[in-house]
Amino acid sequence: LSNSLSFLSIMVRKFVVGGNWKMNGDKATIDGIVGFLNAGAPYNNVEVIVSPPAPYLLYAKEKLNEGVLVAAQNCYKVAKGAFTGEQSPAMLKDIGLKWVIIGHSERRHVFGESDSLTAEKTQHAIAEGLSVIFCVGEKLEEREAGHTKDVNFRQLQALVDLKVDWSKVVIAYEPVWAIGTGKVASPAQADEVHKWIREFLAQKASPEVAEQTRIIYGGSVTADNCVELGKLGDIDGFLVGGASLKPDFVKIINARN
Ligand code: PGA
């Protein structure tokens, strides 16, 4: 029974693979990335979402096959105003985007964004009609101190408190110690946290939300480790940084195919 249940869950939750380009690329390198992404399209049974730096969102969107969606890497919590350097969900929608990444560990830890700001931004983006890749994850010292569950739950609780529409959220579990380090979480480590997050959703939202919400893994995902991770029933895709800039990204997109 549990095997057929996990098969059913896989059917309910479409696999989704995001490419987070971070602050990398110029027009020439983006042309190269667009080239291999378009060559690999159409992608079946998987949603593909790439996230260029803000100045290139429209440039990339106009060149990509329409089956490859584009997400911004960040947005602010209000529609407009005196917030120099920020961009609003309304603006992202205006240029035809449907997705935004919020709460990436670099936003949290390099730019000091709090749990509450991250949640408010998510709430506003959803209210404006965007879907959100909402990132959570513990730092190495938090894992070593036995706080992995608490930290991930605390980051998610901020969203629960604002009663967001979970059908607009993809949760990305990205342990900070695995991001950009080449130190991928083991399948067992990732699986454990994904299961905790699903239980958390069942308790704090509803069993349906837990069943339907996609929880993707990020942190040193490569063409070499994606197949094993992608076999796990509670891993519904990936958020990929470094490897999303290279042609191997197409193999990661197809990890489950
Ligand atoms: P990485 O980054 O794949 O380069 O580890 C993942 C991320 O930051 O989303």
Side-chain angles (χ1 to χ4, degrees):
L1 179 67
S2 77
N3 269 349
S4 57
L5 273 184
S6 76
F7 178 70
L8 258 180
S9 320
I10 288 168
M11 302 298 292
V12 170
R13 302 190 296 266
K14 189 170 189 184
F15 207 66
V16 51
V17 177
N20 174 11
W21 299 357
K22 310 193 180 187
M23 198 173 73
N24 293 299
D26 52 23
K27 284 198 216 170
T29 51
I30 291 171
D31 289 347
I33 297 171
V34 166
F36 68 70
L37 280 172
N38 286 353
Y43 298 102
N44 299 315
N45 311 316
V46 54
E47 211 167 338
V48 183
I49 308 170
V50 296
S51 195
Y56 300 110
L57 284 167
L58 206 46
Y59 182 79
K61 183 181 184 301
E62 282 171 353
K63 294 193 164 216
L64 282 163
N65 181 296
E66 59 183 25
V68 178
L69 302 176
V70 173
Q73 296 176 12
N74 183 31
C75 67
Y76 197 50
K77 63 176 180 175
V78 294
K80 63 180 175 147
F83 301 102
T84 302
E86 291 294 324
Q87 57 194 14
S88 73
M91 293 166 183
L92 301 177
K93 259 186 67 184
D94 191 37
I95 63 162
L97 303 194
K98 298 191 167 63
W99 286 89
V100 59
I101 299 173
I102 295 180
H104 188 276
S105 78
E106 287 142 23
R107 297 304 318 172
R108 292 176 186 272
H109 302 304
V110 180
F111 300 100
E113 294 188 3
S114 65
D115 293 343
S116 58
L117 174 61
T118 300
E120 284 175 83
K121 296 201 309 189
T122 302
Q123 183 188 42
H124 176 65
I126 293 172
E128 292 280 327
L130 295 179
S131 293
V132 176
I133 299 177
F134 183 81
C135 306
V136 296
E138 79 288 355
K139 295 192 268 190
L140 183 60
E141 60 267 31
E142 292 166 333
R143 174 167 280 265
E144 286 174 343
H147 297 321
T148 298
K149 198 188 227 180
D150 303 345
V151 170
N152 284 283
F153 283 11
R154 192 197 71 222
Q155 293 173 348
L156 287 165
Q157 182 65 42
L159 271 194
V160 170
D161 291 344
L162 297 186
K163 303 199 181 349
V164 298
D165 174 357
W166 290 98
S167 73
K168 297 290 200 170
V169 178
V170 167
I171 297 171
Y173 168 56
E174 300 202 297
V176 181
W177 49 270
I179 295 179
T181 58
K183 231 174 119 185
V184 64
S186 69
Q189 284 173 321
D191 195 44
E192 179 178 48
V193 178
H194 282 234
K195 286 197 159 71
W196 285 340
I197 292 175
R198 216 174 285 292
E199 280 163 24
F200 176 92
L201 291 175
Q203 279 174 20
K204 301 281 182 158
S206 72
E208 292 72 33
V209 166
E211 183 69 18
Q212 286 161 12
T213 302
R214 292 172 294 178
I215 307 171
I216 64 178
Y217 169 80
S220 296
V221 175
T222 63
D224 292 330
N225 57 36
C226 66
V227 173
E228 204 186 346
L229 287 163
K231 279 185 190 147
L232 297 166
D234 281 302
I235 294 189
D236 305 309
F238 302 112
L239 185 55
V240 184
S244 73
L245 303 167
K246 308 199 185 92
D248 260 8
F249 184 53
V250 173
K251 293 189 192 154
I252 302 175
I253 293 171
N254 291 313
R256 216 181 239 176
N257 288 329

